[in-house]
DNA sequence: TATTGTTATACTCTATAACTATA
DNA sequence: TATAGTTATAGAGTATAACAATA
């Protein structure tokens, strides 16, 4: 992919920016997780949703959306797809909300998702020093979390 | 946006993952930069491209793509759009490659882009301790950079 | 033979507006 | 009046396959 001869030296004006490095690192993570989970037939957002339902049986679409930053409108086809594939079940908690739970198949799949995510995490940490790496998730959370 | 009463306590199974925090932080960054730069009429990728051309006059589409991870195929409409708006100029460097340069208008706009990016960076750093924050871009680069 | 530029195309994620029904 | 679910739609980023022209 790199040119054979005379690969010109370029200045990289974005390299030092935190925002740029966030985007590159996030894209790298996403690309690896997609590839690593291709056989599961789930997108990243679907995997995230599955894990949230696993940890919170009976959770509603809106609650999931608030927890992991997915708009209500986008939760609809997402949940419908998971129901259609037999991974989750919806049962009314009141006249308008639906409580979501994993099916047995969904539970098995969620366990495999957790495995793939653990592999993905190991890749992200592979070049980081142990001491600095431990605090990295918390540092990143401080970036976006409301004060 | 939050429910009035009885906001249910939910378990957040993703909070501790580096990959999840990368995605949230990157999305936060992106949302702020888009909003902050709305008046410039440029997308994030267009702004990035403008800054790369500014720092490397005569750079080609393929070189830009390799530097900031944009596929050749996606560089085509991107460069065409910038040319059409009078922000950059293309002149042949050999029979197939085009060297890209900023126009005077493009230079002015690039300067304003740098200003918005600096504001965006300040937002990202607002809650981070000075000592740990300084090394953060480098740490993130280690995540995605080839060994 | 490899690379550049190109066209066409598709998928994922994210976002907004507007509607219905229920709390 | 606020919230939940819903529908429709759009923009942005990213991806692959295939082709012609040039190095």
């Amino acid at each position: 992919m790199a040119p054979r001869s005379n690969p010109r030296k370029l200045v990289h004006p974005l390299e030092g920016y935190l925002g740029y490095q966030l985007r590159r690192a996030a894209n790298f993570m996403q690309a690896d997780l997609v590839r690593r989970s291709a056989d599961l037939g789930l997108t990243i957002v679907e995997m995230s949703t599955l894990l949230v339902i696993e940890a919170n049986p009976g959770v509603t679409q809106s609650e999931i959306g608030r927890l992991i930053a997915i708009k209500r409108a986008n939760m609809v086809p997402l949940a419908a797809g998971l129901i259609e594939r037999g991974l989750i079940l919806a049962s009314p908690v009141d006249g308008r909300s639906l409580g979501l739970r994993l099916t047995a198949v969904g539970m098995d799949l969620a366990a495999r998702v957790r495995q793939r995510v653990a592999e993905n995490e190991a890749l992200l940490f592979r070049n980081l020093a142990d001491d600095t790496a431990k605090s990295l998730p918390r540092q990143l959370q401080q970036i976006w979390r409301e004060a």
Side-chain angles (χ1 to χ4, degrees), chain A residues 87-109:
Chain A
L87 302 177
I88 66 173
L89 290 172
S91 49
V93 297
D94 62 24
R96 62 180 176 178
S97 296
L98 298 171
L100 305 179
R101 281 178 177 73
L102 297 187
T103 63
V105 176
M107 288 181 199
D108 287 352
L109 197 51

Side-chain angles (χ1 to χ4, degrees), chain A residues 98-123:
Chain A
L98 298 171
L100 305 179
R101 281 178 177 73
L102 297 187
T103 63
V105 176
M107 288 181 199
D108 287 352
L109 197 51
R112 296 172 72 189
V113 167
R114 274 186 280 104
Q115 177 64 32
R116 307 308 167 92
V117 170
E119 294 169 10
N120 178 249
E121 288 284 297
L123 176 71

Side-chain angles (χ1 to χ4, degrees), chain A residues 14-62:
Chain A
L14 310 177
E15 213 166 24
Y17 287 126
L18 176 54
Y20 175 75
Q21 295 298 344
L22 276 174
R23 198 155 67 92
R24 290 299 299 260
N27 287 348
F28 176 83
M29 176 278 293
Q30 196 151 322
D32 175 77
L33 189 53
V34 165
R35 188 181 51 70
R36 194 182 296 279
S37 311
D39 61 315
L40 302 185
L42 296 168
T43 68
I44 290 183
V45 176
E46 286 172 336
M47 292 191 281
S48 303
T49 301
L50 225 50
L51 295 188
V52 169
I53 298 173
E54 182 187 45
N56 301 280
V59 69
T60 67
Q61 290 183 20
S62 292

